[in-house]
Amino acid sequence: METWRIIATALLGIAGVPGMLIVMAKVRDRLDSSAAVAIAGLVGITTLAVLCVLTLTVLPAAVTWGLVAVIAVALAVLVLAS
């Protein structure tokens, strides 16, 4: 496995987990429902896991780094908006 794939996956995971926590907190604030928070967390973590597996295995370099950049920018916006 190429080193760049491992680095990209690590960066994706590092940016994705706090992003999911922020999304779950926003769902809790807006809906005030534990079930909705659990569903949002499950969907988000599943999506992040699938993206990490695709990053490690089949996505080309340009798509992988673009995905990492989009997730990092989204996290920065979520943190600044909080």
Side-chain angles (χ1 to χ4, degrees):
M1 190 170 303
E2 295 97 350
T3 305
W4 67 267
R5 288 190 181 273
I6 296 169
I7 293 170
T9 303
L11 290 174
L12 186 64
I14 289 170
V17 171
M20 277 312 311
L21 293 175
I22 293 171
V23 168
M24 290 171 67
K26 287 188 180 287
V27 169
R28 184 192 65 219
D29 289 344
R30 291 188 181 170
L31 299 179
D32 198 28
S33 169
S34 297
V37 173
I39 291 170
L42 184 62
V43 168
I45 294 298
T46 302
T47 303
L48 184 62
V50 168
L51 287 175
C52 285
V53 168
L54 289 175
T55 299
L56 277 174
T57 57
V58 295
L59 290 179
V63 175
T64 298
W65 289 113
L67 183 64
V68 170
V70 166
I71 297 294
V73 168
L75 177 64
V77 168
L78 284 171
V79 167
L80 291 174
S82 293

